[in-house]
Amino acid sequence: MFLSSLRLANFRNYHDQQVNFDGQKTILLGNNAQGKSNLLESVELLSTLKSHRIKGDRDLILQGQNIAQVKGNLQRIYSNYELGIIFRLVGRKEISLNGETLKKQIDFIGVLNTVEFSSLDLDLVRGSPEFRRDWIDNLLIQIEPVYDYILHKYNHILRQRNYLLKQMRMGQNHRENDKLQLTLWNKQLSEEGSRVTRRRARAIKRIAPIAQKWHNNISGNTEILTINYNPNVTWSEDDPEKVQQAFLEKLAENETTEINQGSTIVGPHRDEIELIINETLARFYGSQGQQRTLVLALKLAELELIETVVGEPPVLLLDDVLAELDPYRQNQLLETIGDRFQTLITTTHLSCFDANWLKNSQILSVERGKITNFATKF
């Protein structure tokens, strides 16, 4: 797939910017805080409707404006698409495909597939379990767009159940009515939780051997990577009814504790994904360089898995990561990319790239929300 153009209107620090991409490699050159990452963020939003940088949409709108718009034209093997998002200061965002407003996110997600790699991804290794859950969830949304709906539904049920538990803790409702409602929420939580955990397990099973292969290549076979999925509700057989029953049993065991705490402690929102190098948890293992090797292996595995599932290479977004990698890992990444993936890469300087890369790349200068061609010879 190839993103041929991008239009940003009142988005972040862009007032009105059209960008046309003319090759597989585009280098976005500029100092910090000029808008390079904002451009990559807009592509990420066209892909998954999510940003790893914010929780709400208001920060996406240029100060003093009421709406922001992102549009992209995408070429795929069998068809071309125009993707559009309108963000509003007040009200819900609007999504469109080929000029037609869509009611369901599932009809939008997955048209453009992307993999983003930024310096923030080190939190995958050294951060809390939430970062690793978000990583596998975002991958699942790419390869199975219906998972976005499943996860949204689970989180909605979780919020409603937590609200009831808080009321029960404070004794605001009639006890018998509370128990009846809790039973209903338990059933729904177990059903949707089963769908989440089973899909996560399958995704880990698919990506783990690919990541292990890349990790071996980059580390020179000196380190062994293991990825373990440790669900909060343990189960051994991928059977919906059996997994749901395991949920219900654990919910029953923890009912008193949950009421006393006023929150749900059972479910995939408490899952852990263990990244292990040479039988030691990676967050406790070795140098930052070794941790970066692990993250790089995970990202390369994402690229390979998405390409296998969707039948086309995804667009790769690299946000100032070369400066975070030593020369060996830089070369490993750049050689792997080659011309196989359309790549948008941000940098503050061009010294990380060899002459061949620069010769075959479109170089755009980004300064205070303005993008221009960077004219030079290599």
Side-chain angles (χ1 to χ4, degrees):
M1 60 189 65
F2 182 79
L3 184 67
S4 59
S5 67
L6 195 62
R7 168 102 186 281
L8 307 177
N10 298 328
F11 178 82
R12 289 288 197 180
N13 66 331
Y14 291 98
H15 178 66
D16 189 0
Q17 181 70 58
Q18 174 79 22
V19 186
N20 296 314
F21 302 109
D22 61 14
Q24 286 291 91
K25 305 170 186 176
T26 299
I27 299 172
L28 300 164
L29 174 67
N31 294 326
N32 292 327
Q34 300 302 303
K36 304 188 304 296
S37 297
N38 295 343
L39 187 141
L40 296 193
E41 182 181 34
S42 71
V43 180
E44 182 185 15
L45 286 160
L46 288 174
S47 176
T48 65
L49 293 174
K50 300 180 189 299
S51 166
H52 70 284
R53 302 170 73 197
I54 60 158
K55 294 295 184 182
D57 293 340
R58 288 192 174 190
D59 291 339
L60 300 173
I61 302 174
L62 183 68
Q63 189 172 4
Q65 302 296 322
N66 294 318
I67 65 170
Q69 187 173 28
V70 177
K71 279 188 175 181
N73 287 293
L74 177 70
Q75 299 171 5
R76 295 197 58 164
I77 292 175
Y78 299 110
S79 187
N80 296 333
Y81 301 92
E82 181 188 76
L83 296 156
I85 314 174
I86 295 175
F87 303 96
R88 293 185 170 86
L89 202 61
V90 179
R92 301 179 63 182
K93 61 176 168 278
E94 179 183 307
I95 56 176
S96 63
L97 182 63
N98 296 333
E100 180 181 349
T101 301
L102 302 177
K103 294 182 179 180
K104 298 179 180 179
Q105 289 190 177
I106 193 173
D107 295 327
F108 186 93
I109 294 171
V111 177
L112 168 62
N113 297 112
T114 59
V115 171
E116 176 148 15
F117 184 9
S118 78
S119 58
L120 297 177
D121 284 314
L122 273 179
D123 287 329
L124 258 176
V125 179
R126 61 194 184 195
S128 69
E130 181 181 4
F131 288 101
R132 291 178 285 282
R133 290 194 297 267
D134 286 346
W135 165 68
I136 201 63
D137 287 341
N138 290 332
L139 174 61
L140 269 162
I141 289 169
Q142 295 270 359
I143 62 178
E144 192 178 353
V146 71
Y147 182 76
D148 182 67
Y149 170 77
I150 293 169
L151 189 62
H152 177 79
K153 191 173 180 181
Y154 173 81
N155 287 328
H156 173 74
I157 293 167
L158 180 64
R159 286 192 296 270
Q160 296 298 316
R161 189 175 186 274
N162 282 340
Y163 178 75
L164 174 61
L165 289 170
K166 286 182 175 67
Q167 289 184 315
M168 294 177 73
R169 182 184 62 180
M170 296 183 291
Q172 291 184 352
N173 286 351
H174 189 272
R175 197 72 177 175
E176 185 176 335
N177 186 50
D178 286 347
K179 289 286 189 178
L180 179 60
Q181 287 188 58
L182 188 60
T183 299
L184 294 174
W185 285 122
N186 286 355
K187 183 176 183 298
Q188 293 186 53
L189 192 79
S190 67
E191 289 173 352
E192 296 307 317
S194 167
R195 298 174 78 185
V196 170
T197 189
R198 288 164 51 234
R199 280 169 172 79
R200 282 180 178 173
R202 291 176 204 157
I204 293 295
K205 187 175 182 180
R206 294 186 73 172
I207 199 168
I210 305 173
Q212 288 164 352
K213 176 195 70 176
W214 281 113
H215 193 267
N216 285 341
N217 290 343
I218 300 169
S219 69
N221 296 310
T222 60
E223 300 168 347
I224 299 173
L225 170 64
T226 305
I227 304 177
N228 291 334
Y229 175 48
N230 289 339
N232 175 259
V233 177
T234 56
W235 51 274
S236 57
E237 188 176 348
D238 190 357
D239 178 274
E241 292 185 2
K242 291 182 179 179
V243 177
Q244 288 171 33
Q245 185 59 37
F247 263 87
L248 291 172
E249 290 173 1
K250 188 163 184 178
L251 286 167
E253 291 172 5
N254 289 273
E255 181 176 299
T256 301
T257 301
E258 290 188 328
I259 293 172
N260 289 336
Q261 293 186 8
S263 64
T264 303
I265 63 173
V266 175
H269 61 288
R270 303 289 291 268
D271 286 351
E272 171 63 293
I273 297 166
E274 292 181 340
L275 304 174
I276 301 169
I277 300 176
N278 292 347
E279 301 183 353
T280 302
L281 286 172
R283 65 178 180 270
F284 304 130
Y285 181 90
S287 65
Q288 282 197 350
Q290 289 167 316
Q291 292 179 346
R292 290 188 179 101
T293 293
L294 171 52
V295 175
L296 179 55
L298 293 175
K299 291 299 172 178
L300 292 172
E302 281 186 63
L303 285 169
E304 187 172 329
L305 179 58
I306 292 172
E307 182 178 13
T308 299
V309 172
V310 306
E312 297 181 54
V315 176
L316 177 59
L317 311 174
L318 298 177
D319 195 5
D320 206 24
V321 296
L322 291 184
E324 298 286 328
L325 302 174
D326 61 37
Y328 174 75
R329 293 178 179 86
Q330 289 177 13
N331 290 332
Q332 285 284 107
L333 177 58
L334 295 177
E335 286 177 11
T336 300
I337 294 169
D339 290 321
R340 182 175 173 185
F341 305 95
Q342 182 185 11
T343 304
L344 309 182
I345 181 168
T346 71
T347 187
T348 55
H349 51 80
L350 298 176
S351 59
C352 294
F353 305 93
D354 62 27
N356 188 57
W357 242 83
L358 295 174
K359 180 181 177 181
N360 293 291
S361 297
Q362 175 188 22
I363 305 176
L364 300 176
S365 176
V366 184
E367 184 176 2
R368 289 183 289 185
K370 296 287 185 181
I371 299 176
T372 56
N373 288 318
F374 183 79
T376 189
K377 294 182 179 181
F378 299 98

